[in-house]
Amino acid sequence: MSVAQRLRVLLAGDRQADRVVPPTGFTVWLTVFTAGAMAFLAVFALALSLATGRLADRWADALARTATVRISAPEGQMQAQVDAVMEILRTTPGIASARVLPEAEQRALLEPWLGPDLPVADLPVPQLIEVTESGGGYDATGLRLRLAGEAPGAVFDDHTRWRRPLVRAAARLRALGMVSLGLIALATAAMITLSANAALAANARVIAVLRLVGARDVYIARAFMRRFTGRALEGAGAGTVLGMLAIAFLPEADAAGGFLTGLGFRGLDWALPLLIPPAAGFVAFWATRAAALRVLRRIT
């Protein structure tokens, strides 16, 4: 019998064989609840993985396109240093624009750490210049050498030391989300296996009678596979819907909320959770099949 024929037989059902599997009882609720709870958690694990992927891309793009020149010089030499740096930046290929940050903007950058009443004008705060690169990029090493020779008080920072740890952390969070999905699948398989074992043990006498009248183990196992796969699909479908609703009602992403309010799905990503119920059914199918054939070999 081909795989397609076996699938048709499994989906078509067999009332006689289905009587072997109890329609009610704790195994039913255990299977449905487990599949629903795990699907609900899988939705959030998937949302976490996608959100961290977007976060890593956003951080990488934002920090890769900008750089900063920090100028430290005595008060009488600051303007001359700024003018020299701006001239260097203006004549450097690959730099699209350079902008001297005003005092108010520098105060806003320092405010989260030093408070709103910081007297920037009275402190030796370095002057910052924001640099934006063009599509072709620039020679960072050559630019540093020019700054060291013509503006000794200037330090060029291309954000590499900040960008790499942030992107690495986001990538690890994304991997953690995928690992969580794998653990959820394993936990689902384990719980469904326990439920199938309990149902098989409870129906040992019925199974013995079926064997006496000529029923093969594959025929009996197929009844359990069909019933438990259906229960897993029902539970996972309900859990997925609840998870998607919970994600939909999360706050929208904004500058204040950052990552936590950006946890969710965007555009076509909303179709990905719909794969969870079929995946749960697939896990239930093979977990029940393995459990049923193993237990049937032990039942005499």
Side-chain angles (χ1 to χ4, degrees):
M1 185 181 294
S2 66
V3 175
Q5 290 173 331
R6 291 179 180 178
L7 183 60
R8 283 197 295 270
V9 170
L10 181 66
L11 295 177
D14 188 328
R15 291 184 179 181
Q16 292 297 116
D18 288 344
R19 293 176 183 176
V20 181
V21 189
T24 59
F26 79 95
T27 58
V28 176
W29 293 108
L30 180 61
T31 304
V32 174
F33 175 78
T34 298
M38 292 303 174
F40 185 86
L41 295 176
V43 172
F44 279 88
L46 183 60
L48 171 66
S49 181
L50 293 173
T52 50
R54 291 193 300 268
L55 186 66
D57 294 340
R58 185 166 66 247
W59 281 347
D61 292 342
L63 292 177
R65 291 194 303 267
T66 61
T68 304
V69 177
R70 184 176 69 253
I71 303 175
S72 299
E75 184 177 353
Q77 302 177 17
M78 179 63 76
Q79 188 58 47
Q81 290 275 352
V82 171
D83 293 341
V85 170
M86 291 298 291
E87 179 63 22
I88 293 173
L89 295 175
R90 188 183 65 81
T91 56
T92 299
I95 292 181
S97 63
R99 182 176 67 91
V100 178
L101 268 63
E103 181 179 314
E105 193 166 342
Q106 293 195 163
R107 179 184 288 110
L109 292 175
L110 296 174
E111 185 174 319
W113 288 272
L114 302 179
D117 301 323
L118 179 68
V120 176
D122 300 331
L123 295 176
V125 178
Q127 177 62 57
L128 299 180
I129 299 177
E130 182 183 62
V131 180
T132 303
E133 70 172 75
S134 61
Y138 55 86
D139 180 8
T141 302
L143 178 57
R144 286 191 176 93
L145 292 175
R146 287 190 64 189
L147 290 173
E150 301 180 36
V155 177
F156 179 73
D157 182 7
D158 60 0
H159 301 160
T160 300
R161 62 172 179 168
W162 303 103
R163 182 171 68 248
R164 288 177 179 172
L166 290 174
V167 174
R168 190 182 303 117
R172 288 179 179 176
L173 279 174
R174 178 167 48 186
L176 181 61
M178 301 307 296
V179 171
S180 298
L181 289 173
L183 292 176
I184 288 170
L186 290 176
T188 303
M191 293 302 296
I192 291 175
T193 299
L194 291 176
S195 299
N197 286 338
L200 285 159
N203 290 269
R205 292 184 179 180
V206 178
I207 292 171
V209 172
L210 288 173
R211 282 175 168 172
L212 288 175
V213 297
R216 300 175 59 189
D217 286 352
V218 173
Y219 175 83
I220 300 171
R222 189 179 296 130
F224 283 87
M225 292 158 56
R226 183 163 47 246
R227 183 64 64 86
F228 278 86
T229 300
R231 292 169 181 172
L233 286 171
E234 292 173 4
T240 300
V241 170
L242 291 176
M244 294 177 69
L245 288 175
I247 292 292
F249 284 103
L250 286 176
E252 292 293 333
D254 54 31
F259 167 69
L260 291 179
T261 57
L263 181 63
F265 301 107
R266 300 288 182 272
L268 294 178
D269 291 346
W270 282 102
L272 293 178
L274 300 179
L275 300 176
I276 293 176
F282 179 82
V283 170
F285 174 86
W286 288 106
T288 306
R289 183 181 186 277
L293 294 177
R294 183 174 61 252
V295 173
L296 287 170
R297 284 195 295 266
R298 295 201 304 261
I299 296 178
T300 57

